[in-house]
Amino acid sequence: MISLAATAAISIDRCCVVICPYYYSANMKTKYVIIFIVSTWLCMAMIASLPLLGLQHYGLGEYTHIANNLQCWLNFNDRQSTRVIFFMAFSYVLLTISATVISYLIIFYVAWHKGIADTSVVGYISLRRSIRTTALIIGSNVACFIPALVALSTSYFTQMELPTSLIIASYLLTYFNSAVNPIIYASTNSIIRRRIKRHCYYYYTLPSLRKVAPYTNTAIRP
């Protein structure tokens, strides 16, 4: 849940930078980022704690073992006790994925027009980089969360028992997205790549420099 919110927030943030760069640089402050991060974690913690309150009679669900006791999660086959929490989770996943996809499509549209206007080699390289970044971000989100969304909807609306391996694979894909997103952002952002290289350089060269004997200015005796 937090991964989806962070991905959507980064996507909207990048979209605002591309559309209104001067307004963004003049009004975006560090405190707003901190407020968003703290509020997102608090909100997700509150939603995740709802099934622990014993309010399953109100449709807020209850954590239980599913998939042959391999995972502790909500049993969406019990439609009566999960009716509210299901629509909350379904709407949240759908909205965050839609926000991410729409934001990067807007970024791609702007980059496409700039690439067409700039017929130089630099413009072509920038356009190709934008296409690659857009495809990686949207592709990773769709590939990691759509299977879980489909499995969730199928088990809730049809009350059909899905294979255990399919349930485990669809939920594990959502965790995989959290691991692959930093790699995508680091590999497609030149500033982040330079900082990582600089950090690795200092990390591996400074210990060897410390081992060198310090220079002393003592006179050499004959």
Side-chain angles (χ1 to χ4, degrees):
M1 291 294 187
I2 293 293
S3 174
L4 271 178
T7 304
I10 294 172
S11 306
I12 296 172
D13 181 77
R14 287 188 172 187
C15 186
C16 293
V17 172
V18 171
I19 296 175
C20 308
Y22 298 109
Y23 178 83
Y24 179 90
S25 60
N27 293 276
M28 191 61 179
K29 307 297 181 183
T30 306
K31 64 179 181 180
Y32 298 143
V33 178
I34 296 174
I35 291 173
F36 171 77
I37 293 174
V38 173
S39 60
T40 302
W41 276 93
L42 289 177
C43 182
M44 292 299 103
M46 291 173 61
I47 294 176
S49 63
L50 289 177
L52 299 174
L53 302 178
L55 301 175
Q56 59 269 22
H57 299 294
Y58 298 96
L60 296 178
E62 182 183 16
Y63 288 123
T64 184
H65 290 95
I66 62 173
N68 294 333
N69 295 327
L70 294 176
Q71 187 176 17
C72 182
W73 189 237
L74 297 168
N75 184 14
F76 289 105
N77 288 326
D78 187 0
R79 188 182 299 179
Q80 184 65 26
S81 63
T82 58
R83 60 186 185 278
V84 176
I85 198 78
F86 167 79
F87 284 106
M88 290 173 63
F90 184 86
S91 302
Y92 172 80
V93 173
L94 197 61
L95 285 174
T96 49
I97 292 178
S98 301
T100 303
V101 172
I102 292 172
S103 298
Y104 274 99
L105 287 178
I106 293 173
I107 294 172
F108 172 73
Y109 177 80
V110 174
W112 176 269
H113 278 269
K114 287 184 178 180
I116 292 176
D118 188 0
T119 57
S120 62
V121 177
V122 177
Y124 172 74
I125 294 174
S126 178
L127 177 62
R128 189 176 64 179
R129 188 182 298 115
S130 301
I131 294 174
R132 182 188 62 186
T133 305
T134 304
L136 286 173
I137 296 296
I138 295 178
S140 65
N141 277 275
V142 171
C144 293
F145 282 98
I146 291 300
L149 193 64
V150 172
L152 185 73
S153 305
T154 303
S155 62
Y156 182 82
F157 288 112
T158 65
Q159 298 295 296
M160 184 175 61
E161 287 288 342
L162 298 177
T164 303
S165 57
L166 181 62
I167 296 175
I168 296 297
S170 63
Y171 282 121
L172 285 179
L173 275 176
T174 61
Y175 298 112
F176 179 74
N177 182 255
S178 302
V180 77
N181 271 339
I183 299 175
I184 294 175
Y185 287 121
S187 61
T188 57
N189 191 297
S190 59
I191 298 175
I192 297 177
R193 285 202 306 270
R194 283 198 300 268
R195 291 184 177 180
I196 292 175
K197 289 179 181 178
R198 188 183 309 162
H199 176 76
C200 293
Y201 173 78
Y202 285 121
Y203 180 80
Y204 287 108
T205 56
L206 286 180
S208 60
L209 291 176
R210 293 192 190 102
K211 295 178 181 179
V212 178
Y215 173 76
T216 57
N217 197 19
T218 57
I220 301 177
R221 297 180 180 179

